[in-house]
Structures are given as C-alpha cells and as structure tokens.
Amino acid sequence: MTTPLLSVRDLVIEFPTRHGPLTAVDGVSFDLAAGEVLGVVGESGAGKSLTGSAIIGLLDPPGHIASGEIYLKGERIDNLRAEDMRAIRGRRIGMVFQDPLTSLNPLYTIADQLIETIRTHLRLSEREARQRAIGLLDDVGIPAASRRIDDYPHQFSGGMRQRVVIALALAAEPELVIADEPTTALDVSVQAQIIDVLKEQCTQHGASVILITHDMGVIAETADRVAVMYSGRIAEIGPVREIIQNAKHPYTSGLMGSIPTLAQEEDRLVQIPGSMPRLSDIPPGCPFNPRCDKVFDKCRVQRPALIPVENRQVACWLYEEATTNEVAT
Amino acid sequence: MSKTSTPAETPLLQVSNLTRIFDVSKPWLNRVVEREPKQFLRAVDNVSFEIRKGETLALVGESGSGKSTVAKMLVGLLDPSEGTILFDGQPMIMNSSERMMELRKRFQMIFQSPYASLNPRWKVADIIAEPMIVLGVEKDSAKIEARVDDLLGLVGLSAADGSKFPHEFSGGQRQRIAIARALSSSPEFIVCDEPTSALDVSVQAQILNLMRDLQDQLGLTYLFISHDLSVVRHMANRIGVLYLGALVEIADSKELFKAPQHPYTRMLLDAVPDLEMTGRQRKEVEGEIPNPINPPSGCTFHPRCPFANDRCKREVPLWTQTRTGVAACHGVEEGRIPSAEMA
Amino acid sequence: MEAVSNFLASDLFYRFRKSPVAVIAFIVTALLVLSALFAPWIAPQNPFDPGSLNLMNGFSQPGVPNQFTGETFMLGTDDQGRDVFSTILYGLRISLFVGFSAVMFAMVLGSVLGLIAGYTGGRTDTIIMRIADIQLTFPAILVALLIFGIAKGITPPSYRNEVAIWVLILAIGLSDWVQFARVVRGATLVERNKEYVQAAKLIGRKPMAIMLKHILPNTLGPVLVIATISLALAIIAEATLSFLGVGAPPTQPSLGTLIRIGQGFLFSGEYWILLYPAVTLLALALSVNLLGDWLRDALNPKLK
C-alpha cells in the first residue's frame, strides 16, 4: 500500500486550565489519500476546527498538541520548528477559512498578495507570477481578472472574496487544502457557487481537501469520505453516501435524522436528547453514552476504539461482536 | 392579494403595502465635502401578506432581503415608513396607550441569538416572569412563581433552573428559556426570527420539534423567518419568498417545493445543498445579490434571471395568480417560463 | 454564605490569589483604610484637640524619648508637639473620605449622563459628549481649581472652612465624570442593540426601566475598574489641591495639607514631619492604582 498523503495518528489536543488540562481532541486518527476530499463534520465544540488547525500548525495557544503524530507524505510535520512549518504552510498545505477577510490583508491589492504568495514558494519572475495570478483568478471564476487583480479586498463581494481566497490557497500548487467552514458566512445561492469552485479547482490542481463544516448538506455534495466527530473523537468515518444512507453509529444516525431535508416532509425530526457535554465533563466510556438510546453497561465504562465495519470504521461497542464473529467464521 | 382565506374568518394578521426606508447617508459634513446626495435604502418594499390563525407563514430570503426588518415592524420594534399592519382587525400603532398594551399581550418574538437575547445579569426566573409582570398578566407573586415553573417544564427545563443565570446553560437550553419568556404573557402570535440558525443541527431538531409541539398544544400562530429552506419546509404551512425587500412569491409550502414558480425561488431551491443529492450536478447559479442601495431597475431579479427580457428590465412586476399561489414575475404572467415540476 | 463560597471559587478570586502584586496592594490598601476608619481608637492622641497637646513635646525625633518630657513618639512630633502618626491617621481619613466621595459623585453623574447619551442618541448624545470633549481638553486639576475658585467666591467667608471639604469633593468629582460617561456610553451603545433589550422594548417597557434595569447592570464591570483607578487619581488630586493651599483647611488637614505644612521644616532638619505623610500618600495612591490595574486586566482576560 502506498503512503497516504496525510496521516494523523492518535492526535490529542489539550488546553491547560487551573482545574487541569481539558482534552479538546482526544485520539483522532485518519488517513487521507492523494486527490481525496475528506469531510469533517461535527457540532460546535466537537474538535473539528482544532484538528484542522493542528495539521497546519496554527493552534491558538494555550491549546497545544499533547501527543500524537501528523505525517505529510510520510514525513512528520507536527514537531517541526516554526520556520520549517511556515515553508510547508502555503506551499504544501493551502488554507481557506470561514471569513475571507481574515485571510486577505485589507491594505494590499489582490495582485500584491497573490504574487507575494506565488513568489515566496515558486521561482518565478514578477511578470510570470502576475500572469499566473491572473490565470488563477480566471480559474476561480472572477470576471475580468486581469483588471480586477489590482483591486483591494474590500472592493469584492463576499462570494468573490472567497474565490480569491481559494485562488490564494492554490497559488503554490499545494498537495492539500484545508477548508474550514468555507461557505458558512455566505448566502445560499453564493454558497453553491463556492462549493463548486472549490471542488472543481482542487480536482484540477490535484490537491486533496479536508473540508471542515457543520453542514452535512455541503459534505454530501462535495466529499468522498466523511469523518463524524463527537466530543473530540471520531465517531464514524467512511464513504459519504453510505454514511448518509446507512449510518452505523447511533450519534451519526441521530444526526442524519435531525437534519430537515428538502426531499421529503417529515412530521417530526429525529431528536437526540440533551446536548454534547462540555469539555470539562465528558463522561467515561463512550462520550455519547448518556444520550444514546442503545446504551449498555460496557459503553459507560470502556471507551470504544474505531472498529472496522463493512467499508468504514465506527467507534461503538454495538459492532464489537460483529467483527469478532466475522473473524471467527 | 392572496384570496385563499375564507372570507368569514378575519386573518390574525393583515399586512398591506408595508415599506421601510432607511436613511443610509453619510454624515452631513461628508456629504457636503464629497458633494453626494442623501442615500436611502428601501429595506422592505411594498410587502403584503396575511397570516391566518393557527398557521405558520415562513418568510425566506438571503441577506438583504429585508426579512428581519419585516419581523421587527410586525412587533413594533421598528416603525413602518408606509403601509399598515392589522392585528386581529385592529391597527398596530406602537405607543403606550391602554389599547396597545392590551394588544402587546397577544404577540411575542423569539430572537436569533440565544446568547444576546437573555440579559446575563438576570436570573432565568426573572427573565421569564418579566413580560407577565410588565404586561400585567399576573400580579400575585406566588402565582407568577408557579407559572414560571410551569413554563420551564413546558419547554423541557426543570423548575430548579429558574434560580440559575443564563451563562450556566448551553445554546439550545437558552433558546428554550427564550421560548418560555415568549410564552409568558400567553400570546397567540409569535414572530420567530431565525430561531435556530445559531444552533447545531441536533439541537436545532429539538427546538423545531418543541416549537411545533407548542403550536399544537397552545394553538399558536407563527411567523417564521429563516434563510434555510429545509428548515422552512419542515415548519411552514405557507411560504413567502423575499428578494431585495420585495415578496416575489407566496405559495403553499408543499406546492412551492413541488412547483416553484418564480425564477428566484427555483434558483434558491436548486442551490440548497442537500443530503439526498450526493454527487448531483446542479445548475450553475448566476451572479450575486446586488447592492440594495442601488437595486436594478424593473424586476430587481432580472440581472440574474435566465428568462429576463426587455420588459423585465423596465417594468416592476405585479402580483399574478399562479397555480400554487401568487408570484411577482412577468414571465410567469405571460406563461413563457417552462414549468419546473419537481418529482 | 453561598455568595462568599461562590466568590472564593470564582475565576476572579483565583486570578487574585495568583497575583502577588494584587495581594500586596490589597493588603496595604485594606490596612490604610482600616486604620483611617478606626483612627480615634488607634491614634495615641487626638492631634486637633489642643487640650491633649503639650508644646514641650515639639519636634520630638521619631522613636527617641523627648528631652523634656521623656515621652516617645514612633514617628516624631511637629512644632506644636502633635504626634505625626496620629496626624497621618486623621489625615488619611480626610483624604480617603474626599477621594471616595468625589469618585462616587463622578461615578453617579458620569454613569447617568453616559447612559442617557448612549441610549437616547441624537442631539442629546451630541450635547452631552461635546461638553465632555471640551472638558477633557483641560487638565483635570485645572478644572478642579476653577470649580474650587468659583465655589469659594460664592460662599460667605464665615462658612468657608465648614464647606471646604464639600467644595473639594464637588470640584474633584466634576473634573472626573467624563471618563465614566464615556465608558458607560460606549457600553450602552453595544448593549442597547442586543436582543434582550429588544425583548424588553417589545413588551412596552419604558426607556427609564430599560436603562436602569437592563443596560446599567451590564455596564458595571468597566465602571468598577474606572472607579478604582479614579480613586487613586482623586486622592492625588485632593493632595495636590491641599498642597497648593486651596484644599482641606488646616483645621481638617488631609495628607496633602500635612505635606504642605511639613515641607516648611524639611531644611531645618525635621524631615519626619514631611516624610511620613508623603510615604503614606505614596503607598495609598500606588496600591489603589495597582489594584485598579489588576482589576482591569482580570475582568478583561483578552488583554493577557
């Protein structure tokens, strides 16, 4: 088997507090193949954004990686020095954030920012870099790119700005793009355009994508695989379509049922009682056990690891027997 | 306008030609120096609709559609520039007259942010009791206390939660508290302004279910404001679609999703990412919402509309009766838009 | 009881315990305030009761028995034989009283004006805030001097000593209300657009009720910080005015008055008459100021 593009192993992110450390991400592991789009979905506080920030080395202190490893093409990147990480960020891993204004400097024109990014990472002349920048803007669907490149970020609308950010993320031909809630701040009609551009451009440039969002609809349309996070852990990870149509983890199936859809009119939405625990009181065993309708004794004591079920992995004791049986037969 | 209601029953709310203009001019000195005229924004433009007792009317729209401005005018947080609002046949004129205070008991609002909508310095029980006390629904302190406990139970919290402060609760629980406050004066009509858009999906489901249960239990009438079509579909009997301050279509919820008439409604429906649509190829959505200070001429949607012609650029469309409701579109009126029956 | 245990478990108290500067500043402030409160019981003599004074004790050195009477004074005596330690305790009372009262006055005035300006907006806001801006262009001490001068001019001479303290409070308070008004106005502008205020408007609550019951409690955090820092400034302002001879009268001397009196003896060798009141003033102003700084940081963790 070839080395995956990105490999995250037992990632643990902690925040020190006066009552001891809070574990915000607890033992997250996954692989990402080249060219793949992985959706990471979860409710606020599930640790999805922190996982993304940890991969690009932009965790806000006092949060820090307490243990675990992150490999990019087999090369460990979580313990790099700050300047080595800077060389990877932008060059090998691109970023798209929720608010385009945080990724664009309001004091510089789009041209300044694109050309600077391109020339930091690629050996190109000013002129070639500009050509490339215009090409990139063209690709992400900015009309009259050769003229608009000299505009400032505030002269663009929200949707256009997010296109610029995508161009910026792809400027140095990265192998991986991490998109953290790229469409959350946008209107529905614009959101659809941005999803399309993001997916199309990343495919064209051959970049893998980690798409972090709370919107299952966006993931359904964009991702190949999806990781569902709960209380800092992966509850279930596998192919998107199968997880949507036939979720195995009780949390995932509850989550899918709680999303109102356009296609059918349901009288009542499936409702998971309670809410995700605060970081300071995650219950022992499976973190979902107090809200789970299929809970049994083991769930309250022992934490389930990811168990392979069919072509996916599920962190749920319900499936333990199934695997042992399979092994036995 | 909508003639679907039986004439015998007056609608609970009748809104006609509601308009709100904001002065968005720069300060006087800047205008003089830069030689700019005053600028006005028609946030809500000639909007008319009715809400019948016990139903849920939803207003959907993207940013700048004026949906929240409509909501604020209906509950008196903003004065309309033009137009009238009749509540149960009585005009809503927001002053502190006796009649108005009586009327205020009958409507309430649930806000978007569960964090900003509860005063952080007040105990939950005081927050819930406030409308009751101010509107004089209940005067006896023992009865007030009992009713607060009932309300907490009704929204799925315990009576003991009354002595806590808002910061001790999660977003979903806070929205439950906000709902309890809205129910405190026993209103008939509740304006819900994006009540779940700040919540996670699983919590959203709890709140939406709770709101529907309360509607059945208490016979409430809702005006439901949202940008999320799938939520609206779940909640509403009828839906009004707003674009740049104007209503472009009103139709029965089921019909609207099955056979959207106005091109904008179709575009919206097409754009919503949906679970059932993995890997589908959607139609390319054209353009972005124009600046509402300088809206396009004629039909404001024409620059993005695939069916637009010269008439659409010139004339503002009027209401046309459609198969499913009403729509403001020349194309629909002339019958030149192919039907978009959805399965 | 519950409130106390809640406070002891709070983040604020935790930060307090972890900050040695804050703890020391608090202890110094508390000691000074307590000794001012209990001055009549702590002080060896009432320095302003002529009957308790003995001229023979004049210019006693600190800690050394007087050559005529054999009495020992911890911090020495002045020319009248007044115990410096006692004068400091009584002076501290006046300084703290004037400081506290002036800050209270400025706080109430500034908060009310800031609340009205922020909530009403429009012309009222413009008028109040322009007055504030104009006042800010003058140094506070100048404003206080001016107000003091006017007040002195309109009170009959026979009352002057009696009302001097109140005039002092008025002058310092009026020179200090602006920052309260600005902070409260700023906070009000933020709060008045929040949905809980709209919910209160919706049920027909009057502006007065909304301002006092809903908005004011939510602006108290920053007001408390400003009040603490202002207290240090007010104490210094009082000392300055008294030092210039326009503040507390010699019959009710504050620390500033004591310093003014003491400076006359500096070069004749009786340094203690000046030194100890000055050190006390320094300790008081510094510790209150440090406490205010700490409170500001503690209530606004983003600064760290």
Side-chain angles (χ1 to χ4, degrees):
Chain A
M1 203 187 131
T2 51
T3 7
L5 174 72
L6 181 82
S7 177
V8 175
R9 288 280 151 265
D10 287 315
L11 182 68
V12 178
I13 299 173
E14 286 184 348
F15 285 81
T17 71
R18 67 170 159 124
H19 305 291
L22 289 181
T23 312
V25 171
D26 193 356
V28 163
S29 303
F30 62 87
D31 287 338
L32 182 70
E36 189 183 26
V37 179
L38 174 72
V40 179
V41 74
E43 305 183 34
S44 39
K48 52 190 194 305
S49 286
L50 286 173
T51 307
S53 308
I55 295 170
I56 47 177
L58 285 180
L59 271 181
D60 283 328
H64 61 97
I65 298 179
S67 67
E69 290 129 46
I70 301 168
Y71 297 93
L72 184 65
K73 279 213 176 138
E75 178 193 333
R76 191 160 171 193
I77 59 167
D78 58 288
N79 53 0
L80 291 180
R81 281 175 309 159
E83 65 247 51
D84 295 335
M85 195 61 216
R86 260 200 299 278
I88 289 184
R89 209 184 298 139
R91 175 70 188 89
R92 298 184 61 191
I93 306 179
M95 292 158 288
V96 178
F97 291 112
Q98 171 173 346
D99 180 4
L101 284 177
T102 57
S103 353
L104 295 173
N105 187 332
L107 298 177
Y108 293 96
T109 64
I110 301 301
D112 294 339
Q113 304 186 42
L114 269 171
I115 293 171
E116 192 204 333
T117 310
I118 292 170
R119 295 197 64 197
T120 314
H121 297 300
L122 304 177
R123 295 180 149 273
L124 287 179
S125 72
E126 179 88 29
R127 211 201 174 92
E128 289 164 328
R130 192 180 163 86
Q131 275 315 311
R132 190 179 155 75
I134 294 173
L136 282 165
L137 290 180
D138 233 10
D139 289 346
V140 295
I142 297 212
S146 54
R147 187 166 50 79
R148 297 226 59 191
I149 190 169
D150 291 311
D151 284 351
Y152 287 88
H154 71 88
Q155 291 167 292
F156 288 82
S157 67
M160 286 296 157
R161 245 179 247 144
Q162 199 60 296
R163 287 171 194 260
V164 172
V165 173
I166 294 173
L168 201 58
L170 291 169
E173 296 287 340
E175 297 145 65
L176 170 66
V177 169
I178 296 180
D180 191 354
E181 304 272 5
T183 59
T184 307
L186 304 171
D187 278 313
V188 211
S189 64
V190 182
Q191 172 179 323
Q193 301 168 357
I194 297 301
I195 297 173
D196 288 348
V197 168
L198 182 70
K199 191 170 183 189
E200 178 197 297
Q201 286 303 306
C202 290
T203 320
Q204 228 170 69
H205 291 255
S208 301
V209 181
I210 295 181
L211 176 65
I212 298 164
T213 176
H214 67 280
D215 190 336
M216 202 58 215
V218 171
I219 294 216
E221 295 208 358
T222 320
D224 304 313
R225 281 196 309 148
V226 59
V228 181
M229 289 191 71
Y230 186 82
S231 278
R233 302 163 197 194
I234 292 180
E236 183 163 3
I237 179 168
V240 166
R241 243 172 269 199
E242 277 158 62
I243 287 194
I244 288 173
Q245 280 154 13
N246 178 21
K248 296 280 185 202
H249 195 287
Y251 172 65
T252 322
S253 58
L255 186 69
M256 297 304 154
S258 69
I259 303 170
T261 63
L262 289 184
Q264 68 220 32
E265 194 178 13
E266 53 285 274
D267 215 35
R268 275 182 81 80
L269 298 166
V270 176
Q271 164 174 339
I272 313 174
S275 54
M276 203 167 70
R278 293 180 187 201
L279 289 182
S280 50
D281 42 33
I282 295 176
C286 171
F288 187 61
N289 81 65
R291 302 173 71 190
C292 185
D293 54 355
K294 300 197 176 76
V295 63
F296 52 100
D297 288 345
K298 193 169 187 179
C299 307
R300 299 195 182 92
V301 206
Q302 237 178 311
R303 181 182 159 180
L306 281 172
I307 301 165
V309 181
E310 292 161 22
N311 51 357
R312 67 184 96 162
Q313 292 178 294
V314 185
C316 179
W317 288 123
L318 283 175
Y319 300 98
E320 183 193 30
E321 231 168 88
T323 31
T324 41
N325 282 354
E326 264 170 49
V327 173
T329 48
Chain B
M1 252 241 28
S2 179
K3 296 282 187 290
T4 32
S5 67
T6 47
E9 193 194 356
T10 29
L12 186 63
L13 199 81
Q14 285 168 286
V15 174
S16 27
N17 306 99
L18 197 63
T19 299
R20 171 73 203 198
I21 299 167
F22 288 107
D23 184 349
V24 290
S25 315
K26 290 181 182 167
W28 172 79
L29 197 62
N30 295 46
R31 283 206 314 274
V32 173
V33 173
E34 293 164 29
R35 292 167 192 271
E36 276 180 20
K38 278 200 155 198
Q39 280 189 315
F40 296 97
L41 166 66
R42 283 180 95 84
V44 174
D45 190 6
N46 224 357
V47 164
S48 307
F49 57 86
E50 297 175 352
I51 305 178
R52 296 190 285 272
K53 282 190 180 113
E55 79 164 346
T56 302
L57 175 76
L59 291 180
V60 279
E62 302 179 85
S63 56
S65 65
K67 53 191 191 302
S68 287
T69 312
V70 172
K72 281 186 181 155
M73 286 192 280
L74 293 193
V75 293
L77 291 174
L78 266 180
D79 292 324
S81 305
E82 288 158 37
T84 52
I85 304 166
L86 294 182
F87 186 88
D88 208 3
Q90 301 181 65
M92 300 253 276
I93 297 155
M94 292 299 161
N95 51 29
S96 48
S97 70
E98 198 93 327
R99 187 187 64 81
M100 198 55 225
M101 288 311 267
E102 276 306 303
L103 221 49
R104 279 184 199 275
K105 289 180 195 169
R106 301 177 59 187
F107 59 83
Q108 259 294 347
M109 184 159 176
I110 298 167
F111 298 89
Q112 175 174 3
S113 162
Y115 297 92
S117 71
L118 306 176
N119 190 335
R121 305 268 166 183
W122 283 37
K123 282 190 174 155
V124 168
D126 297 330
I127 292 174
I128 296 175
E130 193 188 17
M132 239 186 284
I133 296 167
V134 173
L135 292 168
V137 179
E138 197 65 76
K139 294 203 172 65
D140 179 72
S141 65
K143 279 187 187 160
I144 290 173
E145 220 170 285
R147 180 148 166 76
V148 168
D149 290 353
D150 286 351
L151 285 166
L152 281 167
L154 196 62
V155 297
L157 295 169
S158 72
D161 289 329
S163 54
K164 296 183 186 163
F165 285 95
H167 70 86
E168 296 174 60
F169 296 90
S170 68
Q173 289 171 317
R174 285 184 202 211
Q175 206 58 308
R176 288 174 192 267
I177 296 167
I179 292 173
R181 171 179 60 192
L183 295 174
S184 152
S185 55
S186 309
E188 301 147 54
F189 173 57
I190 299 183
V191 173
C192 317
D193 186 6
E194 305 250 18
T196 61
S197 67
L199 304 175
D200 283 312
V201 261
S202 74
V203 181
Q204 165 173 288
Q206 297 171 5
I207 298 297
L208 293 179
N209 284 342
L210 173 67
M211 288 176 64
R212 281 182 71 149
D213 292 347
L214 290 170
Q215 183 167 37
D216 293 345
Q217 227 171 314
L218 307 169
L220 298 169
T221 306
Y222 287 143
L223 174 73
F224 197 92
I225 308 272
S226 180
H227 69 278
D228 188 334
L229 280 164
S230 38
V231 168
V232 161
R233 154 145 216 184
H234 180 69
M235 292 299 287
N237 304 106
R238 285 191 306 135
I239 296 176
V241 182
L242 284 161
Y243 185 72
L244 282 180
L247 260 179
V248 296
E249 180 167 1
I250 303 182
D252 209 71
S253 172
K254 274 182 201 145
E255 298 293 326
L256 186 96
F257 283 94
K258 221 185 280 168
Q261 299 294 315
H262 197 284
Y264 176 63
T265 316
R266 297 181 183 195
M267 193 200 81
L268 264 188
L269 284 179
D270 205 40
V272 182
D274 201 63
L275 286 192
E276 312 292 323
M277 305 193 185
T278 43
R280 74 164 170 174
Q281 212 49 46
R282 64 152 63 81
K283 251 176 268 161
E284 186 75 13
V285 174
E286 290 289 320
E288 293 184 26
I289 302 164
N291 184 349
I293 295 174
N294 278 316
S297 62
C299 169
T300 51
F301 187 60
H302 84 253
R304 301 174 75 187
C305 180
F307 309 105
N309 63 15
D310 272 354
R311 185 179 174 206
C312 302
K313 286 177 195 161
R314 281 192 326 267
E315 261 177 69
V316 177
L318 300 171
W319 285 107
T320 323
Q321 194 72 39
T322 67
R323 229 159 30 76
T324 60
V326 285
C329 175
H330 296 309
V332 171
E333 187 199 328
E334 295 162 15
R336 63 176 154 84
I337 292 183
S339 87
E341 203 76 26
M342 292 197 168
Chain C
M1 250 352 267
E2 198 194 344
V4 173
S5 64
N6 273 352
F7 174 73
L8 291 180
S10 72
D11 285 350
L12 193 68
F13 184 68
Y14 175 78
R15 291 209 191 91
F16 176 73
R17 263 192 333 176
K18 289 278 152 175
S19 161
V21 173
V23 174
I24 293 169
F26 177 77
I27 292 172
V28 172
T29 313
L31 273 178
L32 291 173
V33 170
L34 286 178
S35 46
L37 277 178
F38 297 107
W41 292 275
I42 301 170
Q45 52 165 244
N46 181 349
F48 305 104
D49 172 13
S52 71
L53 299 183
N54 183 352
L55 269 181
M56 299 294 278
N57 281 331
F59 295 132
S60 300
Q61 285 194 32
V64 180
N66 185 278
Q67 49 183 334
F68 306 112
T69 62
E71 287 182 60
T72 310
F73 298 92
M74 195 173 36
L75 300 180
T77 60
D78 66 2
D79 56 337
Q80 312 277 318
R82 266 194 286 254
D83 175 31
V84 171
F85 179 59
S86 305
T87 58
I88 288 176
L89 289 182
Y90 278 82
L92 206 52
R93 287 190 116 186
I94 305 286
S95 287
L96 277 169
F97 175 71
V98 172
F100 266 118
S101 312
V103 168
M104 281 296 156
F105 175 55
M107 185 165 85
V108 172
L109 181 71
S111 302
V112 167
L113 288 176
L115 202 57
I116 292 172
Y119 190 77
T120 336
R123 190 159 294 175
T124 321
D125 181 27
T126 312
I127 293 171
I128 294 175
M129 294 327 285
R130 282 307 90 62
I131 294 174
D133 287 344
I134 292 167
Q135 187 175 328
L136 266 191
T137 59
F138 299 102
I141 204 78
L142 208 64
V143 176
L145 268 175
L146 184 75
I147 296 165
F148 197 87
I150 297 170
K152 211 169 181 183
I154 55 175
T155 37
S158 51
Y159 288 107
R160 262 182 213 160
N161 273 354
E162 280 172 47
V163 298
I165 294 286
W166 299 105
V167 172
L168 200 55
I169 291 169
L170 183 78
I172 296 172
L174 277 180
S175 70
D176 198 36
W177 67 275
V178 174
Q179 40 178 336
F180 288 97
R182 291 195 147 189
V183 165
V184 171
R185 175 178 174 270
T188 305
L189 286 178
V190 174
E191 298 296 324
R192 77 163 181 194
N193 289 324
K194 288 200 179 157
E195 291 168 344
Y196 73 85
V197 173
Q198 309 209 330
K201 277 187 193 166
L202 189 97
I203 51 173
R205 283 223 115 167
K206 303 272 187 311
M208 189 61 114
I210 292 178
M211 280 192 262
L212 293 181
K213 297 198 165 169
H214 283 284
I215 296 179
L216 188 63
N218 285 297
T219 62
L220 287 183
V223 167
L224 193 64
V225 172
I226 302 267
T228 318
I229 295 171
S230 288
L231 179 60
L233 294 176
I235 289 168
I236 291 174
E238 183 279 324
T240 313
L241 289 174
S242 298
F243 182 79
L244 294 173
V246 294
T251 50
Q252 286 171 294
S254 68
L255 290 175
T257 323
L258 294 179
I259 293 169
R260 175 165 61 90
I261 298 168
Q263 63 150 349
F265 301 103
L266 185 57
F267 294 104
S268 51
E270 291 85 16
Y271 65 89
W272 59 86
I273 306 175
L274 169 70
L275 182 68
Y276 296 119
V279 168
T280 313
L281 176 69
L282 183 73
L284 179 64
L286 186 67
S287 55
V288 173
N289 203 359
L290 285 173
L291 216 51
D293 277 349
W294 167 79
L295 194 64
R296 184 186 54 205
D297 295 347
L299 291 180
N300 196 352
K302 276 180 210 150
L303 286 178
K304 290 214 158 173

